[in-house]
Amino acid sequence: MKVNFSVRSIFSVVSVVIVLFYLLGVFWSFEPDRFDVKEQAIRDAKTANVKPVVGYTTTTAIIRVSETLLDKPGGYLANDVMPPSVFLDNIPAWEFGALEMVRDMALVMRQSFSRSQSQSVQNQHLKNAQPKFNIDAYNWVMPSAESEYRSAIKDMYSYRTELADPLIQSSQFYARADNLSDYLREVEKRMGSYSQRLSASVGREQLNVDLAGDQNAVQSTSSAGLLALKTSWWKIDDVFYEARGASWALLHLLKAIEVDFADVLEKKNAAVSLEQIIRELESTQSTVWSPIILNGSGFGTVANHSLVMANYISRANAALIDLRELLSQG
């Protein structure tokens, strides 16, 4: 009887632990809510008793997006090695997508937004922060990804503080059309990649256009003229949530751009173009009512969430290209 009771007790404890882990995993898998970038910047500036100068909102956006990755329920999960987070894949994929957008913005802030010309000196705070965001997202010890991201956020806070201080001239943010074009060019490549990967949820053949447009173009090694594209069944949901996380982060960053580059956009009559991009990205954040990411054929009886997401991202990316071309016009 003692043996039976012991086995029964162990089974009960294990069952309870599994259920608790499952519920905790479900709770941690909820995506963070959107926030008002402009209001956040105003509140932070009021708390610091400073004026939200040009660049303050964009810097606030990258800080807040980065902090959300670390401070949401469960914290940063991508590099966890313990249950239940080690069994999760959707929210870590979401985190990586958002992180990629943070990395792109950090790079452009370091190379373009904070510099008046190509030969100007880099801002030291951004120079320190940008490489820290590029640590392996799955690094969990010596140093951990979280500790490096925290350090990068601290550098961003320092940059923002100096940005709003009229007595410090070394930290600047230049809202110019060419700088904004540099950022949009980076985003275009990222979003174009997501669109292709999402579309590949349905197997298809595509002509190789790597050298199209330049008859003198060459590449290192030859490749097939017809490419078969197909995302692994096991990766369908990961690609979906990575794109969803990237769209969430980009949505906030572009809303900050809308504030800091308001004069540039108005002069180019491009404010409505940016607003349309933001609308498309907002559509990517609609609630997913299905408990799983469905992968039906293009015109089949079952929905294909990846193709729906690809549609919104493709439309946003096309509008990004149009916006960049508009900014390049005199």
Side-chain angles (χ1 to χ4, degrees):
M1 285 297 295
K2 288 185 178 180
V3 174
N4 291 337
F5 178 76
S6 177
V7 171
R8 192 182 304 115
S9 299
I10 293 174
F11 178 77
S12 299
V13 170
V14 171
S15 299
V16 170
V17 170
I18 291 175
V19 171
L20 290 177
F21 276 170
Y22 172 77
L23 294 176
L24 190 59
V26 170
F27 176 64
W28 285 356
S29 294
F30 287 121
E31 300 167 44
D33 293 330
R34 282 174 278 174
F35 60 92
D36 191 316
V37 174
K38 185 176 181 179
E39 287 299 320
Q40 183 69 48
I42 293 174
R43 285 197 300 268
D44 288 1
K46 185 177 181 180
T47 300
N49 196 28
V50 297
K51 180 183 177 181
V53 297
V54 171
Y56 197 92
T57 305
T58 299
T59 310
T60 299
I62 191 173
I63 289 173
R64 187 72 176 82
V65 168
S66 303
E67 288 180 335
T68 300
L69 289 175
L70 303 178
D71 299 332
K72 59 181 175 54
Y76 183 72
L77 302 177
N79 63 347
D80 283 3
V81 294
M82 297 293 290
S85 50
V86 72
F87 299 116
L88 304 178
D89 60 347
N90 291 345
I91 198 65
W94 185 97
E95 292 171 342
F96 186 74
L99 179 62
E100 288 283 73
M101 286 301 170
V102 169
R103 288 171 171 173
D104 288 345
M105 175 57 81
L107 177 63
V108 174
M109 287 183 70
R110 175 185 176 181
Q111 293 186 340
S112 298
F113 289 168
S114 62
R115 304 177 69 182
S116 60
Q117 52 188 351
S118 61
Q119 297 185 32
S120 58
V121 179
Q122 298 182 77
N123 181 273
Q124 190 61 44
H125 298 304
L126 297 178
K127 182 180 178 181
N128 293 336
Q130 187 262 327
K132 295 174 184 175
F133 280 123
N134 285 321
I135 188 175
D136 187 345
Y138 303 101
N139 219 39
W140 64 279
V141 66
M142 294 191 306
S144 67
E146 293 100 319
S147 64
E148 288 296 282
Y149 299 155
R150 289 283 185 196
S151 180
I153 293 171
K154 184 177 179 181
D155 290 322
M156 284 291 179
Y157 270 114
S158 298
Y159 168 71
R160 191 182 68 170
T161 298
E162 292 187 0
L163 202 63
D165 191 338
L167 300 179
I168 299 178
Q169 305 298 316
S170 58
S171 293
Q172 297 289 343
F173 186 100
Y174 300 96
R176 301 196 311 259
D178 60 329
N179 285 353
L180 182 54
S181 293
D182 289 342
Y183 175 60
L184 296 180
R185 187 175 292 106
E186 293 294 325
V187 174
E188 286 170 19
K189 298 174 184 176
R190 189 74 65 188
M191 299 301 280
S193 174
Y194 283 129
S195 177
Q196 288 292 328
R197 293 168 61 194
L198 288 164
S199 298
S201 63
V202 176
R204 61 192 178 90
E205 293 184 339
Q206 176 177 300
L207 294 175
N208 190 330
V209 295
D210 293 345
L211 303 181
D214 187 349
Q215 62 180 358
N216 297 318
V218 295
Q219 63 186 62
S220 300
T221 58
S222 60
S223 54
L226 190 63
L227 305 176
L229 304 177
K230 175 67 174 177
T231 301
S232 168
W233 185 83
W234 294 99
K235 295 294 182 180
I236 294 293
D237 57 339
D238 293 346
V239 174
F240 177 88
Y241 278 102
E242 182 181 335
R244 191 170 166 92
S247 300
W248 178 89
L250 180 59
L251 173 61
H252 293 90
L253 294 173
L254 289 183
K255 284 187 175 182
I257 292 293
E258 190 176 30
V259 175
D260 286 329
F261 287 82
D263 292 341
V264 173
L265 294 169
E266 182 179 358
K267 182 179 179 180
K268 297 287 186 176
N269 197 27
V272 66
S273 298
L274 180 58
E275 184 178 348
Q276 181 59 37
I277 297 169
I278 290 173
R279 284 178 178 267
E280 297 293 350
L281 291 175
E282 287 176 337
S283 297
T284 67
Q285 302 304 302
S286 300
T287 302
V288 180
W289 295 106
S290 173
I292 61 174
I293 301 304
L294 298 177
N295 187 41
S297 60
F299 294 100
T301 57
V302 179
N304 188 305
H305 294 122
S306 296
L307 291 183
V308 174
M309 179 69 77
N311 173 63
Y312 290 127
I313 288 180
S314 296
R315 287 165 60 91
N317 197 40
L320 280 167
I321 295 172
D322 291 340
L323 175 58
R324 184 169 61 81
E325 292 179 352
L326 184 60
L327 291 172
S328 66
Q329 298 174 3

